[in-house]
């Protein structure tokens, strides 16, 4: 079999051994309410505590959505800047701000997220039906956000909700070149109602279609697809994202109490696959982020 479409994994990144597993935690998200899930970390203090616990459990990156004083999703510039500063002060995690926001956030505000100078930002590669809503990512917006990330030296994590998003990533890299730092990391976000299913078959198809510029990839399965996607990602040599943004139960009828539980489970799954949690230093090398402030 030709390796033309084999993903280049961490083995290709000097300083990051192949057994190192990047565990990203997405502790909050934008779509679950505090009323529905009081244990969701929505205040800055709760977020920092969750991040510290997850770092101790083996996470190396945090994917961040913030909330306002009423626990509603927010893209407030000062809050975002304060959040990045607090996470840098209190943890060594790679801080990735969501530019996806909530399904209701306007595109111009989502571009301004980069003003908070995170290490990394999410960058979704196309519009997706998202349950009963639409997660809007028109091509011109994707291009604007990508070029802004290059200018601001923020490393994007390309979010792939569908196979078409992989083709869009190929087109983006061809048109605008490599991200700041020269590495290309993407994350398959699977099992969203409207996106690709959270199955091993879908992951295999997505990985096979990745452009050769990709240097690392991870996956997350929404809801009950979390285990199937996580196990499939490990068996394909990928990395893992977990967290209460993506799943709120540990098993049918068993609620997640905190994000640390999900990171611990990801680390345990990785251990079965003879992978060990990546250090934050290795994660910065893998992703090509700026040196820590
Ligand atoms: N809240 C979803 C509509 C991202 O963070 O970039 C989008 C999302 C993706 O969570
Ligand atoms: Zn998100």
């Amino acid at each position: 079999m030709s390796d033309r479409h084999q993903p280049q994994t961490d083995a290709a990144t000097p300083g990051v051994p192949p057994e190192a597993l990047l565990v990203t935690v997405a502790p909050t998200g934008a779509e679950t309410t505090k009323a529905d899930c009081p244990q969701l970390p929505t205040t800055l203090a709760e977020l920092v505590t969750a991040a510290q616990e997850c770092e101790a459990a083996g996470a190396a990156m945090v994917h961040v959505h913030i909330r306002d004083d009423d626990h509603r999703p927010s893209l407030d510039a000062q809050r975002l800047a304060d959040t990045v500063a607090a996470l840098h002060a209190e943890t060594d995690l790679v801080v990735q701000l969501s530019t996806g926001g909530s399904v209701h956030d306007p595109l111009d505000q989502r571009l301004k997220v980069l003003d908070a100078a995170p290490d990394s930002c999410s960058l979704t590669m196309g519009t997706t039906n998202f349950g009963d809503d639409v997660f809007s990512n028109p091509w011109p917006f994707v291009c604007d956000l990508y070029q802004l990330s290059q200018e601001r030296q923020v490393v994007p994590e390309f979010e792939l909700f569908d196979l078409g998003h992989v083709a869009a990533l190929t087109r983006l890299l061809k048109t605008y070149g490599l991200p700041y730092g020269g590495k290309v990391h993407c994350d398959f976000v699977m099992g969203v109602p409207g996106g690709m299913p959270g199955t091993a078959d879908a992951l295999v198809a997505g990985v096979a279609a990745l452009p050769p510029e990709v240097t690392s990839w991870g996956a997350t399965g929404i809801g009950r697809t979390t285990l199937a996607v996580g196990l499939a990602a490990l068996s394909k040599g990928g990395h893992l994202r977990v967290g209460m943004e993506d799943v709120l139960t540990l098993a049918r009828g068993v609620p997640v109490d905190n994000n640390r539980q999900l990171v611990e489970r990801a680390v345990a799954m990785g251990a079965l696959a003879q992978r060990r949690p990546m250090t934050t230093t290795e994660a910065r090398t893998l992703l090509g982020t700026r040196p820590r402030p």
Side-chain angles (χ1 to χ4, degrees):
M1 195 172 125
S2 135
D3 6 281
R4 162 71 183 75
H5 288 302
Q6 289 298 308
Q8 297 164 27
T9 55
D10 331 348
T13 304
V16 185
E19 70 273 16
L21 170 66
L22 174 63
V23 178
T24 299
V25 63
T28 309
E31 315 305 331
T32 300
T33 66
K34 186 80 164 175
D36 283 344
C37 184
Q39 66 273 39
L40 193 72
T42 51
T43 68
L44 182 55
E46 288 169 344
L47 175 66
V48 168
T49 299
Q52 288 172 322
E53 288 176 1
C54 290
E55 181 178 10
M61 178 153 73
V62 59
H63 167 87
V64 178
H65 291 254
I66 62 164
R67 303 291 179 102
D68 65 15
D69 286 339
D70 297 320
H71 310 282
R72 286 181 308 227
S74 168
L75 292 179
D76 179 78
Q78 190 59 54
R79 268 179 195 264
L80 284 168
D82 292 347
T83 301
V84 171
L87 288 167
H88 278 155
E90 304 297 334
T91 78
D92 192 44
L93 295 167
V94 177
V95 177
Q96 178 183 93
L97 287 184
S98 166
T99 64
S102 89
V103 285
H104 306 295
D105 285 325
L107 301 179
D108 58 338
Q109 274 193 41
R110 288 168 51 194
L111 283 174
K112 293 205 178 99
V113 166
L114 297 198
D115 292 351
D119 305 307
S120 170
C121 67
S122 59
L123 201 170
T124 296
M125 288 309 305
T127 295
T128 310
N129 283 318
F130 203 92
D132 294 341
D133 296 300
V134 175
F135 178 28
S136 185
N137 295 284
W139 178 249
F141 169 75
V142 169
C143 295
D144 287 351
L145 180 54
Y146 185 49
Q147 290 175 92
L148 195 60
S149 75
Q150 289 172 315
E151 197 182 300
R152 301 285 179 86
Q153 305 188 341
V154 176
V155 170
E157 176 182 90
F158 300 101
E159 310 294 347
L160 309 172
F161 286 70
D162 220 332
L163 207 49
H165 293 186
V166 182
L169 174 60
T170 304
R171 180 183 177 200
L172 188 79
L173 296 172
K174 197 164 280 191
T175 310
Y176 297 105
L178 293 175
Y180 169 76
K183 302 291 198 297
V184 180
H185 178 75
C186 50
D187 189 48
F188 293 94
V189 184
M190 309 179 68
V192 168
M196 69 182 131
T199 62
D201 289 345
L203 183 70
V204 167
V207 171
L210 288 174
E213 293 89 342
V214 169
T215 47
S216 58
W217 62 270
T220 189
I222 304 300
R224 73 178 65 150
T225 72
T226 184
L227 290 174
V229 169
L231 292 167
L234 287 170
S235 67
K236 289 289 286 176
H239 299 282
L240 299 179
R241 177 180 118 175
V242 295
M244 293 176 74
E245 172 166 347
D246 301 330
V247 62
L248 292 167
T249 55
L250 291 169
R252 192 182 294 273
V254 183
V256 174
D257 285 332
N258 55 61
N259 281 281
R260 177 175 43 81
Q261 292 175 309
L262 294 169
V263 171
E264 285 172 349
R265 184 166 70 173
V267 169
M269 284 162 55
L272 287 174
Q274 303 191 346
R275 307 274 298 277
R276 51 97 182 148
M278 186 174 288
T279 66
T280 52
T281 301
E282 288 169 333
R284 286 173 203 283
T285 302
L286 181 82
L287 301 168
T289 55
R290 301 188 304 274
R292 264 186 76 84

